[in-house]
Amino acid sequence: MGSVVDELERILAPGQVDAGEVALRRYAVDQAPVIDFQLPLAVVFPESVADVQAVVRACAGTGVAIVARGAGTGVSGGAHATKNCIVLSLERMDRILALNPDDETAVVEPGVVNAVLNDAAAAHGLMYAPDPASFRTSTIGGNVATNAGGLRCAKYGVTRDSVLAVDVVLADGSLIHTGHQTFKGVAGYDLTGLFVGSEGTLGIVVGVTVRLKYLPRDVHTVAAFYPDFRQAAAGVLAVGRARVQPAIMELLDGGTLAQLDDIHGSDLTARGRSLLLIQTDGFGAAAEAQVVRDVLLAGGAAVTTEASEEAERLVELRRHSRGVEVDDEYRVGEDVAVPRSRLVDYVAALDAMASDHGVHLKVVAHAGDGNLHPTFWIDRTGGSVDAVALKRLHRVLDESITAALAMGGTITGEHGVGQYKLRWLGQEQPEPVREIQRRIKELFDPEGILNPGKAI
Amino acid sequence: MGSVVDELERILAPGQVDAGEVALRRYAVDQAPVIDFQLPLAVVFPESVADVQAVVRACAGTGVAIVARGAGTGVSGGAHATKNCIVLSLERMDRILALNPDDETAVVEPGVVNAVLNDAAAAHGLMYAPDPASFRTSTIGGNVATNAGGLRCAKYGVTRDSVLAVDVVLADGSLIHTGHQTFKGVAGYDLTGLFVGSEGTLGIVVGVTVRLKYLPRDVHTVAAFYPDFRQAAAGVLAVGRARVQPAIMELLDGGTLAQLDDIHGSDLTARGRSLLLIQTDGFGAAAEAQVVRDVLLAGGAAVTTEASEEAERLVELRRHSRGVEVDDEYRVGEDVAVPRSRLVDYVAALDAMASDHGVHLKVVAHAGDGNLHPTFWIDRTGGSVDAVALKRLHRVLDESITAALAMGGTITGEHGVGQYKLRWLGQEQPEPVREIQRRIKELFDPEGILNPGKAI
Ligand SMILES: Cc1cc2nc3c(=O)[nH]c(=O)nc-3n(C[C@H](O)[C@H](O)[C@H](O)COP(=O)(O)OP(=O)(O)OC[C@H]3O[C@@H](n4cnc5c(N)ncnc54)[C@H](O)[C@@H]3O)c2cc1C
Ligand SMILES: Cc1cc2nc3c(=O)[nH]c(=O)nc-3n(C[C@H](O)[C@H](O)[C@H](O)COP(=O)(O)OP(=O)(O)OC[C@H]3O[C@@H](n4cnc5c(N)ncnc54)[C@H](O)[C@@H]3O)c2cc1C
């Protein structure tokens, strides 16, 4: 334990610095596979902007790194502790500072949980649109730092599209405000956009002004079961060709259905090998749902007819289709995106890879965005490490990335590069583009104390 | 004329470099007031990415600046020539390179005119959503460089929200590609967002991948006349409180109505002192329009009843409510935005300022976004310069900016800072935020050859 921790204990109030073993372990990792386990020197709980500034100042010049953390639900290792770091947990800065119904904006501290903001907004007929499946636990600060997507992003956009302004503590402890309190504003460079998705490497987000959208007055949900995944993926394109913009368009494969049946005792597998869940919303929801049903029926789906409670229950199930199992070295969830027209091809390629290499595969997709979450896993042979099987797993992982890129895709649609996906970044971005990012990082954080070894 | 021009003539084909007086004058300025008139050394017309690279390389190291130009419809002087510069007109790079209906994306050269892309997309039931009122002439490259807004941005977002990737020639002549061809992608920092709105100061945009949206199948337009502007502005909030999201929500004051009557022989002034134009679109358009009508009637408006051709004609008129007169030193159009709840207060403040100082005022607003375009002018006294009146004009201009900022607004909602609004930027952004931008500029353009003296 270094002197920085003593210094922090001196500066902050009792209970704000925890260097106990339990806390260190609990805050050492997020939900991603761990490739280089490190314990932080301490976990620090700022309660104000001034606290954050004091912590950053205490670390600056000492070589102690700062890993910002929201709820630790990240799945790319962005919040994993690194060597000689403190973890800065923003969870206690959880106040909604303003909610302006007529302006349709809110100002929040970074630790506000997504669902809490949404509940507060709902009281005014408003919503904060970006809804990662982790919305009940993940924080707005974490959402901003990862530019989180979610289920209803096909229609309402990702986090970036709802963030108007941020307050950021920079690497020297100074505080800046970027962006605007208005819906539109183009004065100067888009610094707000630069911080969104920067995964704690350019500054600590200590305040966020968001735009709220209208809670839809009507929601219709259609569940369509298909004999196979390819036909379901084709259904996504068919809805697009009908020029209907659903709020939610989620695609679940047979493996995912089987898993949901296992956990929840449902009978999804009996009804099809793939499920396409579509939700339309707004004043046109009923008419849109009707077009969706017609189009999917014509494409060979078994479609729920009623304005269906059951379909809505399925969306709830989908929201929880991750999270029961945590990824580890035997089980890795991916997050590629491909142009929508390649969905079918990409899933076919995944199937082929997985069966070639004897690796288990299940896939869910935010299909409206072409954003896929394949999960690859191998069986644990009685608890002991099977090096050969692990090699096969990594082979398939690598191939799945290469295939996505070859189709014009990206290595991460919404989860961020974090620590885990760094190894693939060079395949997506050539050296000159990476070099620009390093230089931007250097500009904001010359000592490299903010979440080193992440994101870029 | 410097040796750079000779060099450019040598490198490029005949007809690609024009140093004739007519071209120099024609390309010296955009549509903004001119505060420092300069002729460029030459106007250069690249026809390929390689041409742009060659031009940039030829200028690098010589101290000759490069002012990129699309259609020159900018109203902030971003495309004004500066001392010792060439104007790089992208107008000949006007090909739509790809239009992918299933992916709902298009790839275009920067000189493609907004309306041309929209026509091409419409053939597939798609649209490129950001629609500045200049859409018939302005270019996608110019729209990207200014992060242009438009009429239907309240619902569909601004240019940034539709741009997925850009190809950019940097200040050293190298070419990079940023972003992703997919709807979502969070690998690395958001360089795309950094180029969007950077007004030609960080690089030359030579290619743009955009996301397309669905052409709405149904559009309903409501025109509501009010006895005064304040009531009309209150109508904007009332529609918001009814949680209806119109595609278009434009507010015109009495001065604007009078001007339209003058030009088009209409009788708008006879019908009210202010007009609120609302367009709903999509499957719910009719139902939304009905709610809008009810709400506006309750607020004292005279509302068109029929699904009205007339109202649509009014939207067309609105699209052309600028452009008949060009701003000059006697007439300046502004572009502030305020939080929506302050629309009423802000317009009241404008009225007071204008009458206090004896300056003419008319206002149109993209009211859904809280983005106002007041135009201030003074009468020309027989063609001679009236220094006292000019002083009054500038006083009101300054006050209008200060008032917007005091209400939590911005000095530019969509037009950009360019050259003209630089004087107010310091009021909006404190020195540390400006300094970060200068350092980003330096990182991308160490010699300062890209559109110096603009944007930041
Ligand atoms: C069950 C489950 C479902 C999920 N579904 C989705 C989904 O649908 N869409 C999606 O995009 N993601 C999803 N995720 C991933 C994860 O929830 C998101 O990335 C989320 O945005 C992380 O928020 P967090 O508060 O947990 O941040 P953390 O995991 O604590 O941190 C994430 C990153 O942000 C940085 N960070 C956190 N707070 C700050 C701050 N205030 N300032 C600067 N940097 C900060 C961290 O350093 C780290 O790099 C899911 C995860 C789980 C476990
Ligand atoms: C009648 C009228 C109505 C208008 N309505 C709107 C409106 O509703 N919303 C709105 O936002 N604006 C509006 N404008 C302003 C203007 O049309 C927009 O700013 C538009 O985006 C400019 O496009 P352009 O092609 O004319 O660019 P230009 O005026 O030529 O250039 C604008 C800026 O972008 C830079 N630039 C241009 N091309 C490139 C490139 N390829 N690479 C790098 N930099 C480049 C220039 O250097 C300059 O700084 C209007 C203007 C007029 C005259």
Side-chain angles (χ1 to χ4, degrees), chain A residues 102, chain B residues 226 228-242 249 251 274 276 278 295-296 298-301 340-345 347 367:
Chain A
D102 276 341
Chain B
Y226 286 88
D228 63 40
F229 197 90
R230 297 180 69 123
Q231 281 185 59
V236 173
L237 295 188
V239 171
R241 286 195 196 113
M249 183 138 58
L251 195 50
S274 184
L276 181 58
I278 294 186
V295 160
L296 298 186
R340 285 163 51 114
S341 67
R342 305 308 299 272
L343 270 173
V344 178
D345 300 337
V347 170

Side-chain angles (χ1 to χ4, degrees), chain A residues 17 52 56 157 203 208 235 257 264 286 291 310 341 387-389 391 414 424 430:
Chain A
V17 181
V52 174
V56 173
V208 187
L257 296 183
H264 303 281
V291 173
E310 194 219 346
S341 67
V388 181
K391 226 170 160 177
E414 58 179 20
W424 297 308

Side-chain angles (χ1 to χ4, degrees), chain A residues 30-31 66-75 77-80 88 90 110-111 131-135 137-151 159 198-201 203-206 318-324 335 366 371 373 413-416 418 451 454, chain B residues 184:
Chain A
D30 60 25
Q31 301 278 314
I66 301 167
V67 178
R69 181 182 172 106
T73 69
V75 288
H80 281 351
L88 184 74
L90 282 310
D131 61 338
S134 59
F135 72 107
T137 46
S138 67
T139 66
I140 300 298
N143 295 170
V144 167
T146 56
N147 192 10
L151 269 59
T159 297
S198 67
E199 303 188 52
T201 64
I204 312 293
V205 176
V206 293
R318 158 60 190 110
R319 282 199 198 271
H320 304 291
S321 68
R322 207 185 193 290
V324 277
D335 169 45
H366 305 308
N371 185 191
H373 297 314
E414 58 179 20
H415 289 165
N451 216 3
K454 312 283 179 69
Chain B
K184 285 158 70 181

